[in-house]
Amino acid sequence: MDIDVVNPADGTVLGSVPLTSAAQVAALTARAERVFRSGVWAGLAPRERAAAMLRLADLMERDADLLARLDSQDAGKPITEAREGDIPGAIESIRWFAEAADKLAGSSPATAPGVLAYTVREPFGVVAAILPWNYPLAMAAWKIGPALVAGNSLILKPADATPRSVLHVASLAEEAGIPPGVLTVATGDGPTTGAALAADPRIGALSFTGSTATGRAILEASARSNLKRVSLEMGGKAPHVVMPDALDLGDARIDGITEAAFLTAGQNCTAGSRVLVHESVYDEVVSRLAAAASALVVGDPSDPATQVGPVINDAAAERILDAVDGAVARGAVAVAGGREVAVLAGGRYLAPTVLAGVDPADPILTTEIFGPVTTVQSFATREEAIELANAVEYGLQATVWTLRLDDALALARGIEAGTVSVGAYSEGDMTVPFGGWKASGFGGAEKSLAAFHQWTREKTVWIELPSV
């Protein structure tokens, strides 16, 4: 059975990929285990693995325009966003982890005379990763880099909607000299292919990026099988806290809030879907944010001028429109957007939407919409801002807009999120970890040296020397 890959821009079928069955997953894991135990990859010195990974990065750079077009077509991403953001970021990830290959270190604690103790981090062997559709290659690179550099054999399942860039990178891996079976792509859906990976007892670690519901199912499968190491990066409902002095930041503040809300048509786990504004500047922020949202170019993602493309499919469009219509029916005002836009037949294009005056009990304030929609609420005190920011089950990312050090420190300390940026919408660069709190994350972090902890296990060696 095959799965069609559909272009969200116009509904055309771009091709098809196989649905990998549970039996086929078992065969792939058995092969990956044989490759790992052979030592053709895991037995190399770290710098040798690094050299191959750097060759892979060079090949990805050679094919960067093709990779950008594949992600743009599969996910409906604006081509400029893919060319200037996603693909360069994926290449940087592979290079960064390659250069970190020999930076992992164990420890050697002080012991009694005649005893030598030390710790090492070793690869699990066969590991797996399940990817989202919104950042197909960028998220793949966050997992490919540390998993392979550590010496594992990785089975990668791309989202069924967006498999083609990952398939191309797998072919580049072999061109780079990475042995066959070290990086394997298993195309398919969640209920069949993803579930088989989660349940396979030969897989020692599994990293997942996607919905909270699916993350919980993966944890259950791990508990029922071999208690594999599971790391989850899941949903978000990121707040942007705008303090009174944020006006002094000028256009950077509105530009950052607009980017956070509407990048990738809002289909982003760190999307700034809640803007919390001090009452003294509320009216101006609402006015300027509405104007900025209305000025964004909604269009064909293949057009370099397009800033907001289609949402991924009909089901997503209907879910988003229903949430907006419901909020408006309960008293909210759509100061920008709130409607569908005609661009290409067969695609679902939604105008960037800003909702003000939302009922405090409205579910749109706490539910992840995953679309080009943001709400604006007011607050009177710093403590109220923290309370509003934390009034959701998620805790992935937050942004604070202020120049005051006391406000920045208090809000960064008080907001329950894995990443809090101040003065800019950011997830940080490759040197810092990225992972969520509460229902947004579990078991590990992406990026930085901390990412290697997902893909390695620590061993203690204790040697007692005979007395003489």
Side-chain angles (χ1 to χ4, degrees):
M1 176 179 175
D2 288 345
I3 299 174
D4 286 341
V5 179
V6 177
N7 188 340
D10 57 13
T12 57
V13 175
L14 297 164
S16 61
V17 294
L19 171 62
T20 306
S21 68
Q24 289 169 325
V25 166
L28 291 176
T29 56
R31 175 189 182 223
E33 186 175 44
R34 289 193 299 271
V35 170
F36 175 76
R37 296 194 183 283
S38 74
V40 294
W41 180 251
L44 297 178
R47 293 311 303 173
E48 293 179 287
R49 290 196 295 270
M53 296 294 287
L54 289 171
R55 290 195 296 271
L56 172 60
D58 289 343
L59 293 170
M60 290 169 64
E61 191 161 40
R62 181 197 70 188
D63 291 357
D65 191 64
L66 170 61
L67 292 169
R69 283 188 283 112
L70 292 174
D71 272 4
S72 175
Q73 292 170 356
D74 287 7
K77 299 178 76 73
I79 187 64
T80 299
E81 183 181 319
R83 282 175 176 156
E84 296 182 0
D86 294 13
I87 304 308
I91 295 167
E92 179 193 11
S93 296
I94 297 298
R95 286 201 172 115
W96 194 93
F97 284 114
E99 291 164 356
D102 58 358
K103 309 302 186 293
L104 294 177
S107 62
S108 182
T111 58
V115 172
L116 172 64
Y118 63 92
T119 66
V120 292
R121 300 203 69 89
E122 297 183 354
F124 280 94
V126 183
V127 296
I130 299 175
L131 304 174
W133 52 262
N134 55 340
Y135 289 89
L137 192 55
M139 293 296 96
W142 280 10
K143 301 177 192 297
I144 291 170
L148 263 58
V149 164
N152 295 290
S153 294
L154 173 65
I155 300 175
L156 200 61
K157 193 202 89 64
D160 52 0
T162 55
R164 295 189 302 157
S165 63
V166 174
L167 285 166
H168 186 71
V169 166
S171 70
L172 295 182
E174 293 202 22
E175 186 178 346
I178 296 172
V182 171
L183 176 60
T184 302
V185 176
T187 56
D189 62 13
T192 302
T193 311
L197 290 168
D200 195 300
R202 281 173 297 226
I203 293 174
L206 189 153
S207 177
F208 166 76
T209 300
S211 73
T212 302
T214 301
R216 289 190 171 109
I218 288 171
L219 275 178
E220 291 173 3
S222 171
R224 288 193 301 268
S225 58
N226 61 330
L227 290 172
K228 60 176 60 64
R229 172 83 58 81
V230 173
S231 56
L232 308 172
E233 193 265 280
M234 299 175 287
K237 193 70 175 172
H240 279 237
V241 180
V242 183
M243 298 301 287
D245 69 310
L247 293 174
D248 296 335
L249 292 166
D251 292 339
R253 171 196 44 146
I254 296 299
D255 291 346
I257 296 171
T258 305
E259 177 188 8
F262 304 120
L263 183 72
T264 314
Q267 300 169 124
N268 178 6
C269 291
T270 64
S273 55
R274 296 184 296 144
V275 183
L276 313 178
V277 186
H278 191 272
E279 59 188 12
S280 65
V281 293
Y282 178 82
D283 289 341
E284 180 173 352
V285 170
V286 169
S287 175
R288 293 182 63 184
L289 181 57
S294 299
L296 292 172
V297 178
V298 181
D300 181 348
S302 67
D303 184 346
T306 292
Q307 295 169 290
V308 179
V311 296
I312 189 67
N313 54 35
D314 288 336
E318 295 303 325
R319 184 191 70 247
I320 297 161
L321 290 170
D322 284 349
V324 171
D325 290 344
V328 170
R330 289 183 286 271
V333 177
V335 296
R339 67 189 189 282
E340 196 159 358
V341 179
V343 178
L344 296 177
R348 302 297 297 272
Y349 298 80
L350 308 184
T353 297
V354 179
L355 296 177
V358 181
D359 186 307
D362 198 296
I364 203 168
L365 295 176
T366 55
T367 303
E368 186 178 36
I369 302 302
F370 225 61
V373 179
T374 193
T375 60
V376 191
Q377 297 170 270
S378 67
F379 63 86
T381 66
R382 190 165 65 193
E383 291 70 28
E384 185 183 356
I386 292 172
E387 183 178 355
L388 287 171
N390 293 338
V392 295
E393 66 172 329
Y394 301 108
L396 185 58
Q397 193 271 351
T399 300
V400 174
W401 296 95
T402 185
L403 293 171
R404 287 176 58 98
L405 186 58
D406 57 341
D407 283 337
L409 290 174
L411 289 162
R413 179 67 64 87
I415 294 174
E416 297 169 347
T419 298
V420 179
S421 62
V422 179
Y425 165 58
S426 179
E427 297 171 5
D429 65 12
M430 287 301 300
T431 65
V432 295
F434 177 77
W437 288 16
K438 303 196 293 188
S440 290
F442 175 88
E446 309 278 9
K447 303 193 305 177
S448 81
L449 293 178
F452 285 106
H453 289 191
Q454 295 185 44
W455 306 106
T456 59
R457 47 191 171 181
E458 190 170 44
K459 175 182 287 182
T460 294
V461 179
W462 181 274
I463 304 171
E464 293 193 22
L465 305 177
S467 57
V468 293

